[in-house]
């Protein structure tokens, strides 16, 4: 049995729409600090919409509205300035999106945006973030090269480092390994294992085996509903709902 850490997010009766499309339906869920929550489910089940709700990214899309509440550290996220929330709750997207800058400047970009100008401090942040993303040893002698010279897997870890550089508390991963080979995927997963010592991680993945490998807990979404939420081992060995079992077995998806 996994011992629960403090609650980081508390989601209560969350409903979300894009226009008339009801995307999330009465979601109730708690996300615990220093754990990895895997979110699984077929396409159009609401996984990414749920993820974007946690740092108010959905508000950037026309026609989005929500009811219910999301509490972060006990505070309603609607009362937290969006920019402040997104600094605390960072996102790593499916496709790595390095900036057209050097490797070092990619990592330091967010820190600069948030007001850090001291060159030595920026260098320290860059090195620390690259080490945490397990990329430092591979790039330490080429920091001034274009980030586009990195492999796809390296670019994804660079994006993780860029997220870490602004000192978040939570990292949202939206299918971060969807375009990566197995070796690069393993490196990203290894990074997650280490990061959860300091951060809370929420991982949306279409790879159920990945969810089983890395998740402390797993949530199964289907057609906008949270069907099941439990310790990962139980979800994958003795799920409570037949639909969860069917999805894991590949009977639909």
């Amino acid at each position: 049995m996994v011992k629960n850490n403090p609650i980081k997010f508390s989601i209560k009766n969350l409903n979300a729409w894009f226009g008339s499309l009801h995307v999330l339906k009465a979601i109730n869920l708690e996300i615990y600090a220093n754990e990895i929550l895997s979110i699984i489910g077929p396409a159009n089940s609401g996984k990414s919409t749920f993820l974007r709700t946690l740092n108010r990214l959905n508000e950037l899309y026309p026609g989005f509205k929500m009811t219910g509440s999301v509490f972060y550290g006990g505070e309603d996220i609607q009362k937290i300035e969006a920019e402040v929330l997104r600094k605390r709750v960072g996102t790593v997207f499916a496709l790595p999106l390095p900036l057209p800058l050097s490797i070092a400047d990619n990592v330091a970009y967010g820190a600069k945006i948030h007001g850090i100008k001291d060159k030595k401090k920026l260098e320290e942040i860059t090195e620390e973030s690259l080490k945490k993303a397990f990329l430092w040893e591979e790039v330490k002698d080429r920091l001034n090269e274009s980030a586009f010279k990195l492999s796809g897997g390296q670019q994804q870890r660079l994006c993780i480092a860029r997220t870490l550089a602004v000192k978040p508390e939570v990292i949202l991963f939206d299918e971060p390994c969807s375009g990566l080979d197995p070796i690069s995927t393993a490196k990203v997963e290894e990074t997650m294992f280490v990061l959860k010592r300091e951060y809370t991680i929420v991982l949306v993945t279409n790879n159920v085996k990945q969810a089983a490998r890395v998740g402390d807990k797993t949530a199964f979404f289907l057609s906008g509903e949270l069907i099941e939420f439990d310790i990962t081992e139980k979800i994958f060995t003795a799920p409570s709902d037949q639909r969860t079992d069917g999805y894991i077995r590949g009977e639909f998806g």
Side-chain angles (χ1 to χ4, degrees), residues 145-190:
E145 288 186 12
S146 168
F148 295 126
K149 292 186 177 181
L150 298 176
S151 70
Q154 288 174 325
Q155 287 184 12
Q156 190 61 293
R157 282 180 285 146
L158 178 69
C159 291
I160 294 172
R162 190 173 68 205
T163 299
L164 295 175
V166 299
K167 308 294 185 183
E169 298 175 4
V170 179
I171 307 172
L172 310 178
F173 287 91
D174 194 358
E175 300 180 31
C177 303
S178 60
L180 302 184
D181 61 82
I183 293 175
S184 296
T185 294
K187 288 183 177 180
V188 171
E189 290 177 2
E190 181 184 3

Side-chain angles (χ1 to χ4, degrees), residues 68-85:
S69 55
V70 178
F71 291 91
Y72 170 70
E75 186 176 3
D76 188 334
I77 63 169
Q78 296 300 321
K79 296 180 180 178
I80 304 173
E81 186 179 345
E83 183 179 337
V84 172
L85 180 65

Side-chain angles (χ1 to χ4, degrees), residues 1-2 4 28-32 35-40 211-212 214-221 226-241 244 248:
M1 178 68 70
V2 175
N4 286 342
N28 291 279
L29 181 63
E30 291 176 339
I31 300 172
Y32 295 85
E35 289 185 356
I36 300 175
L37 170 63
S38 295
I39 300 178
I40 59 173
V214 305
D216 295 292
K217 295 189 176 74
T218 295
F220 172 54
F221 280 61
L226 175 60
I227 303 301
E228 192 164 353
F229 168 61
D230 214 320
I231 295 166
T232 294
E233 182 180 7
K234 184 177 184 302
I235 289 281
F236 281 88
T237 59
S240 300
D241 193 290
T244 309
I248 289 170

